[in-house]
Amino acid sequence: MKIKERAVIEFENIHKIEPFFIRYLTIISTLVLIILFIFFFGTKRLNEEYNTVNVWNKKTSSIEPPSHDDKFNIDGVFKHNFFVKPEGIVHYFDFNGDTIYSTNLSRGELATLNNKNFVIYKRYGNYIDAYNNTGVIIWRTNTSIYPEISPYAERIIYHSSDNSKIQMFDFNNNPLSRHIQYGEIITDGAFALHTGDYIAGFSSGDIAYINRNGNLSFAISTILSEINIVKSVAISEYGSFALAVSGIRPEYITLYDANGNTIWYLNTELNRRRHVSSYISEKSMTAFMLADKDIILYSMNKGKEINRINIEKYNMQNAINMKLNSETNSTIMSISKDAKSVVLIYDNNDKEVVFEKEIDGWVYNLDISNLENEYMIVTDKMIYTYKRVKL
């Protein structure tokens, strides 16, 4: 008698033993497609929900109220509230663009200023006068030096007439440091925005860091090259880090801490014989350098290249100047040449440019308000404010 073999898997029980992912394959596939759609298109879709609008603008030399968009207001506070043009004007204004104080400069007169005070001096003269931002004189002294004021801290650096020595003062004109000199001339200098710490680069290839108390934190030689010259220095907002671009054949970019210890250095593979624009931000932990065809972004942790923003698309290759503020989740930066500029807003998290504007003129200053979604652009001709708003 032939025994009929029983099927190992009975047809009616097939679905009971299917793996979970097979039983729900249709549902899982749909969910995966939705996730992929959000991943590839979500960022673009979210960006399209926002727009950057011009709130107000005015001429830098005008004391009249600005042109204003009635639908939007600047609600935050900008640190930057001033403009100066040699032999032109000193101009203070508030966040709405209304003039606080302005004064014309005579022929041969120059000025350096911050958000609270300014100093007027002569191109060829032997005195400097210090004022507050309402035009009240604070002090006057006879000297032939050239002053430089920290943008948002009450510190002044005096440059000798031949630009070979520097000395730090407070804004009561009290000396805080001794005279400092390394090499023949000072090739570049920069203030820490909020603290007044100062770094200077010299033609000898040396850099010197003066802290806010006037003490020399360090003075060291940069990495040796065939021609050892400092072409750019930068210091972070609170003075925790310093940067130098130095040397010809090869050119190096080097990051230091506030004690002069080298954190990292890189060969830029460029051999430029001119000033180089560079910035560092301890807020975004990013170093920025203007190259011939790109703005290069480096991680401040290990010097790894984060991104390159191509500037050829704006016809800005070989731009000669860059301005930058990177204190929030976004960075506002500008590049300039031939009296033309391009301003970019870069999202530090998404690592992409979210706003771009071409400007007729040189950009002098850039700022971000304390609300982080409002931006100021100060050029040699105009002052603009923008706001990033949800549509």
Side-chain angles (χ1 to χ4, degrees), residues 275-298:
H275 172 75
V276 177
S277 289
S278 63
Y279 286 85
I280 49 174
S281 170
E282 59 190 270
K283 284 288 191 176
S284 64
M285 289 301 291
T286 306
F288 304 81
M289 184 186 72
L290 178 60
D292 296 336
K293 299 179 181 180
D294 306 276
I295 300 171
I296 307 176
L297 286 67
Y298 301 94

Side-chain angles (χ1 to χ4, degrees), residues 32 36 47 54 65 82 99 113 126 155 186 201 220 243 250 266 282 294 299 333 379 390:
V32 169
L36 289 173
N47 282 343
N54 181 210
F82 57 86
T99 296
L113 64 168
N126 57 5
R155 291 293 180 268
I186 297 163
I220 57 176
L243 187 81
L266 298 169
E282 59 190 270
D294 306 276
S299 166
M333 63 186 88
T379 78
K390 191 171 183 179

Side-chain angles (χ1 to χ4, degrees), residues 9 15 42 59 66 86 107-108 119 125 135-136 166 170 194 205 232 252 256 291 306 323-324 344 354 367-368:
I9 301 176
H15 289 291
K59 291 183 178 180
R107 184 171 181 175
V119 167
V136 176
I166 54 174
D170 65 20
H194 302 297
S232 179
Y252 292 104
Y256 306 88
I306 299 172
K323 298 291 184 180
L324 188 143
L344 307 172
V354 296
D367 195 16
I368 306 174

Side-chain angles (χ1 to χ4, degrees), residues 9 27 43 109 117 135 197 206 261 289 327 329 346 388:
I9 301 176
I27 297 174
T43 300
E109 280 189 332
N117 307 289
D197 304 292
D206 296 300
N261 299 308
M289 184 186 72
E327 292 192 75
N329 290 329
Y346 177 83
R388 192 155 176 79

Side-chain angles (χ1 to χ4, degrees), residues 328-341:
T328 66
N329 290 329
S330 60
T331 298
I332 183 169
M333 63 186 88
S334 68
I335 44 176
S336 303
K337 74 171 185 179
D338 301 329
K340 303 287 184 182
S341 300

